[in-house]
Amino acid sequence: MAKTTSTENQKKDTTAAKTEVSRIINLDMPQRILSKLEESHCPTLPTRISRSVTHAAGVNCVEWSPPYGQLLASGSLDQTVKIWNVINAEECLATIDHTGGVKALQWSSDSHQLASGGLDQQLLVTDVETTSTIHRLKHPSTLSALKYHPSEPSLLLASYHKSTILCWDLRTESVVHTYRPPSGDVLDVEFIAGDDVTFASSQTVSTQGSMDNSVMIWDFRTAAPLSHQVYTEAYSCTCIRMHPGGSCFVAQTHGDYVAIFDSFKPWKLHRHKRFEGHQSAGYNIKCRFNYDGSKLFSGSVDGSIHVYNFYSSKTDTMKAKTYHRVHREPCTDVAMHPVLDIMVSCGWDGVINIFER
């Protein structure tokens, strides 16, 4: 009898969580977000850790749901993706199970679907409201990054180790394009130039001959490489991010700095400007912009968060703020909320920190 009651309670909790996810996505925007939208509020940097939530192992990535950040998704080495309500509480609304550590997340543009993948060599696309798996796509190597096509929501780029990038058509669960860098594991992909026909990829650098292929530019439609000599320094780039303004993109390097490139041909490296001060060598440390591109955020191997003034041309004013050692192990990802004065960070200590003013 006790077991039956326990099972019934678990079912009720699961049903309640699914109902809450559906309500937040479809109906009730949290009042905190609504009020800031009405004020045309410009988010400012938070000052302190207000609360934390945890996974059972290291957390590789965090992503706010578009466009207003009602929900937060996190991917962890504990083989789960968790969907959180951290705006008004520290509540885990849903858990998506993998059979290996999760390395990549990507929300659909309407927040109704969440793509995830990693060490189990599976790409899962989940209906967020019901937490049911819509697509389960297998590949014989580790998945490293995901990116939905900007104007075709049924097309999804997935990068894998062993020098492979696939474009999946989710309508038919078939591969419509295959992109093959000459060498190295693919680490990240990102659409650039503010269009839907050009994207960049980054690959590991292991030998002198593979340096030219560290960052490559591709024609999405033909799968032809447009350039493989964008970045010729001897460092792998673990993360690529397009600037919200569209004029450039950045790459997190294993040289302990973030490099800047033009987003138009010939995709020139800005050799006299870089963002350095954090540590990224040897780890998959991510970087990203705030909503207007004025700040660049980076995690660090020492567990710190570094925030840079993107538009500063002087080295002494580039550093806006450093949050020292907020994680006991490497800080892998940082994400500023698109509307509120809230920032989240995650690390290999399994902790997701929530910062507020």
Side-chain angles (χ1 to χ4, degrees):
M1 186 68 177
K3 290 183 179 180
T4 302
T5 302
S6 175
T7 302
E8 290 176 351
N9 289 338
Q10 289 176 1
K11 289 181 178 179
K12 288 179 181 178
D13 292 343
T14 301
T15 301
K18 290 179 180 179
T19 302
E20 179 71 3
V21 171
S22 178
R23 182 183 65 78
I24 290 175
I25 289 177
N26 293 311
L27 299 174
D28 296 338
M29 183 85 71
Q31 185 59 40
R32 289 180 66 185
I33 296 179
L34 279 175
S35 62
K36 295 299 183 182
L37 287 173
E38 292 170 357
E39 298 170 5
S40 298
H41 176 70
C42 179
T44 57
L45 290 177
T47 56
R48 60 187 176 84
I49 298 175
S50 63
R51 46 215 160 92
S52 299
V53 294
T54 60
H55 276 264
V59 184
N60 285 320
C61 46
V62 286
E63 292 284 345
W64 292 108
S65 61
Y68 301 125
Q70 300 100 306
L71 299 170
L72 179 74
S74 58
S76 171
L77 293 172
D78 67 4
Q79 305 182 10
T80 67
V81 174
K82 291 185 182 292
I83 299 174
W84 306 88
N85 172 18
V86 297
I87 303 301
N88 300 315
E90 302 89 46
E91 180 182 12
C92 180
L93 301 176
T95 299
I96 302 165
D97 292 316
H98 279 258
T99 57
V102 178
K103 298 191 69 176
L105 296 172
Q106 180 72 57
W107 289 92
S108 62
S109 58
D110 62 4
S111 297
H112 287 270
Q113 296 180 10
L114 182 64
S116 57
L119 300 177
D120 60 359
Q121 303 177 356
Q122 294 187 91
L123 166 56
L124 300 186
V125 180
T126 303
D127 184 309
V128 176
E129 297 180 53
T130 64
T131 66
S132 60
T133 301
I134 306 172
H135 306 286
R136 186 185 299 270
L137 308 172
K138 295 185 178 181
H139 190 272
S141 62
T142 296
L143 189 149
S144 56
L146 293 163
K147 190 66 62 175
Y148 275 101
H149 189 275
S151 59
E152 293 289 342
S154 61
L155 299 181
L156 180 63
L157 278 180
S159 66
Y160 299 86
H161 290 182
K162 299 183 180 178
S163 301
T164 304
I165 305 168
L166 301 180
C167 178
W168 291 93
D169 188 331
L170 299 179
R171 295 167 295 191
T172 59
E173 296 191 346
S174 60
V175 175
V176 293
H177 297 299
T178 300
Y179 313 83
R180 297 191 183 279
S183 61
D185 294 335
V186 185
L187 300 176
D188 202 8
V189 290
E190 177 79 325
F191 283 94
I192 62 172
D195 60 30
D196 54 7
V197 297
T198 311
F199 74 89
S201 70
S202 61
Q203 291 72 226
T204 56
V205 173
S206 55
T207 63
Q208 187 73 19
S210 66
M211 287 168 52
D212 287 352
N213 304 313
S214 177
V215 176
M216 295 184 64
I217 310 297
W218 301 87
D219 186 307
F220 174 79
R221 298 164 298 186
T222 65
L226 301 177
S227 177
H228 58 83
Q229 295 183 324
V230 176
Y231 181 69
T232 56
E233 298 188 30
Y235 299 115
S236 300
C237 297
T238 57
C239 177
I240 301 176
R241 290 287 184 264
M242 181 67 184
H243 188 272
S247 62
C248 63
F249 67 93
V250 299
Q252 177 80 270
T253 78
H254 274 175
D256 292 338
Y257 66 90
V258 176
I260 312 170
F261 305 84
D262 291 336
S263 61
F264 48 87
K265 192 173 181 178
W267 306 285
K268 184 179 178 181
L269 170 67
H270 295 198
R271 296 191 178 277
H272 301 293
K273 183 176 179 180
R274 60 173 59 172
F275 300 95
E276 55 190 352
H278 59 283
Q279 302 170 33
S280 54
Y283 290 82
N284 189 0
I285 304 295
K286 295 178 173 58
C287 63
R288 69 176 74 216
F289 294 99
N290 64 339
Y291 84 104
D292 66 356
S294 62
K295 297 288 190 294
L296 177 67
F297 298 78
S298 176
S300 183
V301 174
D302 65 357
S304 301
I305 298 169
H306 294 254
V307 186
Y308 299 95
N309 289 316
F310 185 76
Y311 294 116
S312 175
S313 60
K314 297 181 179 179
T315 303
D316 59 350
T317 58
M318 281 184 176
K319 185 67 69 67
K321 190 175 180 66
T322 301
Y323 301 82
H324 293 284
R325 290 181 169 77
V326 294
H327 291 274
R328 297 189 306 275
E329 296 187 48
C331 175
T332 51
D333 201 0
V334 188
M336 187 75 188
H337 194 274
V339 179
L340 302 175
D341 304 331
I342 294 178
M343 180 179 72
V344 295
S345 67
C346 64
W348 276 14
D349 55 2
V351 176
I352 301 170
N353 288 320
I354 304 156
F355 296 77
E356 298 184 82
R357 292 189 67 79

